[in-house]
Amino acid sequence: MDPLWRALILFLTCIVYLFVGAGIFSVLEGHYEKVTKTDINQTIFDFLGKHKDVEVNELLTVVHKLHDAFHSGVNADEVVEGTYHNRWDVVNAFYFCVTTITTIGFGHLSPSSYAGKIFFILYALIGIPTMAWFLIEAGLLFKKKFKILHQKFQNSLSNHISARLVRLTISIIIAAVLTYVFLIVIPAGIFAHVEGWSHMDAQYFAFSAIFTIGFGDLIPTEQHTGWQEWIYKLATTFYYFIAMVFLVTIGCVLQDLRSDFNVVSHHRMMMDNNGGQTRMEEQMGADVEEKELALGHLALQTADTDTNIDIGVEDNYSDGGGDDEDMGDGKYRRI
């Protein structure tokens, strides 16, 4: 297929996929949002009913300030309890840099000062390409190991399955399942235990993190202080790096598998074409052979006719079918 048409088809597929997702999310989350708003409204009215001296506008002002403070990285519980903790200490700043160069961007911590935003732009312009370069190089390095494992697995499957396309499909399915288990399910169990999340929320966080979606509604490392916070954040950083390298490696391997699929399809098409061409050549060969046989029979018949004519003439000369007249100079004519 022409690359332009392939790109156009994929673009239209993405557009359709976006609208389908939008419709489903609108139905699923729209109902949940309505229930949540109803619950919040009921909570506010209950609070105002118990505190007659508080005006609605005063309460909303406090809520808005807490909302803005939360998005600026300030923990409301710390503010209320008077145990304010500096969110821009070295360990949190380090974790912010990690989420920047990996493009996860949880959004729980972001620069608010003018100088901080300028430095963020410059820092990201250098850090993100460097991180991408590292991921590509590491992916290409580990791809060789994965291809060796893949080839061994293919060889073991070839003893039971002869179709190469089926073996490739089985390999992709098994790789996808193992990837999800080792990169999502197992880490999610650890996050669920440490953070107190449900396993579904932990899987949701792990998936959004390693695929650099990073909504920021769930953030790890918020329950620790001191050296435990450093260890936990370094461990999560190591998890992000390993997971992303693994995903890039899988992408490189899948690219090779895609080439294998193309080779198999091309080989099959060539076999079909060669099969048709072979049948045509066989038919043409049979026609030529039939014509050659016909020409051979015709040649034999012609040769027999010429032989009969020659023999008849010789018989006339030899049997004395007439008298010989001397023509002179040693020449004679049959009379």
Side-chain angles (χ1 to χ4, degrees), residues 118-131:
I118 294 296
F119 179 73
F120 163 77
I121 294 174
L122 298 176
Y123 185 81
L125 283 175
I126 299 174
I128 293 175
T130 304
M131 182 66 185

Side-chain angles (χ1 to χ4, degrees), residues 204-322:
Y204 162 77
F205 162 77
F207 186 90
S208 63
I210 67 174
F211 282 96
T212 70
I213 299 172
F215 290 118
D217 50 346
L218 291 175
I219 307 296
T221 72
E222 295 297 311
Q223 309 295 328
H224 308 278
T225 57
W227 62 270
Q228 292 181 344
E229 184 179 14
W230 264 111
I231 292 177
Y232 191 38
K233 288 186 176 179
L234 287 175
T236 55
T237 300
F238 184 73
Y239 163 66
Y240 300 150
F241 277 43
I242 292 298
M244 289 179 183
V245 169
F246 191 85
L247 291 177
V248 172
T249 303
I250 292 296
C252 294
V253 174
L254 289 178
Q255 181 65 28
D256 289 347
L257 290 180
R258 177 178 177 271
S259 301
D260 290 342
F261 272 114
N262 292 336
V263 169
V264 171
S265 301
H266 180 71
H267 179 69
R268 180 173 296 178
M269 182 179 65
M270 292 298 294
M271 290 294 291
D272 294 339
N273 292 338
N274 292 336
Q277 183 177 359
T278 302
R279 289 191 295 271
M280 183 180 297
E281 291 176 352
E282 291 176 353
Q283 183 63 36
M284 292 177 62
D287 295 340
V288 171
E289 184 178 357
E290 183 178 352
K291 291 180 180 179
E292 289 178 350
L293 290 174
L295 291 175
H297 287 303
L298 180 61
L300 289 175
Q301 292 176 0
T302 304
D304 290 342
T305 303
D306 293 340
T307 302
N308 292 333
I309 294 174
D310 293 338
I311 293 173
V313 172
E314 291 176 357
D315 288 343
N316 289 334
Y317 278 99
S318 61
D319 294 344

Side-chain angles (χ1 to χ4, degrees), residues 56-328:
V56 176
N57 293 333
E58 295 176 351
L59 178 60
L60 291 178
T61 300
V62 174
V63 171
H64 288 313
K65 287 185 176 181
L66 290 175
H67 180 269
D68 294 338
F70 174 78
H71 283 281
S72 298
V74 177
N75 193 320
D77 293 335
E78 293 177 352
V79 174
V80 174
E81 295 173 1
T83 57
Y84 178 73
H85 174 66
N86 182 15
R87 299 295 300 278
W88 279 101
D89 57 7
V90 177
V91 62
N92 282 296
F94 170 81
Y95 197 68
F96 167 77
C97 293
V98 170
T99 60
T100 296
I101 66 173
T102 57
T103 68
I104 297 176
F106 288 124
H108 69 299
L109 193 64
S110 58
S112 301
S113 64
Y114 185 82
K117 293 178 180 178
I118 294 296
F119 179 73
F120 163 77
I121 294 174
L122 298 176
Y123 185 81
L125 283 175
I126 299 174
I128 293 175
T130 304
M131 182 66 185
W133 190 3
F134 159 72
L135 292 176
I136 293 173
E137 292 296 330
L140 293 176
L141 176 64
F142 287 105
K143 183 187 74 170
K144 299 178 182 179
K145 306 294 183 181
F146 274 77
K147 290 190 69 174
I148 294 175
L149 294 176
H150 169 70
Q151 190 59 46
K152 291 182 179 179
F153 183 69
Q154 288 289 299
N155 293 336
S156 63
L157 283 180
S158 62
N159 298 327
H160 308 281
I161 302 174
S162 58
R164 187 181 181 186
L165 193 61
V166 176
R167 296 200 305 268
L168 290 175
T169 303
I170 293 175
S171 299
I172 293 176
I173 294 174
I174 293 177
V177 173
L178 292 178
T179 300
Y180 191 84
V181 170
F182 284 101
L183 295 187
I184 304 295
V185 176
I186 295 178
I190 298 174
F191 283 122
H193 175 72
V194 174
E195 298 290 341
W197 299 335
S198 68
H199 203 276
M200 185 67 252
D201 286 343
Q203 289 190 49
Y204 162 77
F205 162 77
F207 186 90
S208 63
I210 67 174
F211 282 96
T212 70
I213 299 172
F215 290 118
D217 50 346
L218 291 175
I219 307 296
T221 72
E222 295 297 311
Q223 309 295 328
H224 308 278
T225 57
W227 62 270
Q228 292 181 344
E229 184 179 14
W230 264 111
I231 292 177
Y232 191 38
K233 288 186 176 179
L234 287 175
T236 55
T237 300
F238 184 73
Y239 163 66
Y240 300 150
F241 277 43
I242 292 298
M244 289 179 183
V245 169
F246 191 85
L247 291 177
V248 172
T249 303
I250 292 296
C252 294
V253 174
L254 289 178
Q255 181 65 28
D256 289 347
L257 290 180
R258 177 178 177 271
S259 301
D260 290 342
F261 272 114
N262 292 336
V263 169
V264 171
S265 301
H266 180 71
H267 179 69
R268 180 173 296 178
M269 182 179 65
M270 292 298 294
M271 290 294 291
D272 294 339
N273 292 338
N274 292 336
Q277 183 177 359
T278 302
R279 289 191 295 271
M280 183 180 297
E281 291 176 352
E282 291 176 353
Q283 183 63 36
M284 292 177 62
D287 295 340
V288 171
E289 184 178 357
E290 183 178 352
K291 291 180 180 179
E292 289 178 350
L293 290 174
L295 291 175
H297 287 303
L298 180 61
L300 289 175
Q301 292 176 0
T302 304
D304 290 342
T305 303
D306 293 340
T307 302
N308 292 333
I309 294 174
D310 293 338
I311 293 173
V313 172
E314 291 176 357
D315 288 343
N316 289 334
Y317 278 99
S318 61
D319 294 344
D323 298 331
D324 293 332
E325 180 182 1
D326 187 4
M327 298 294 294

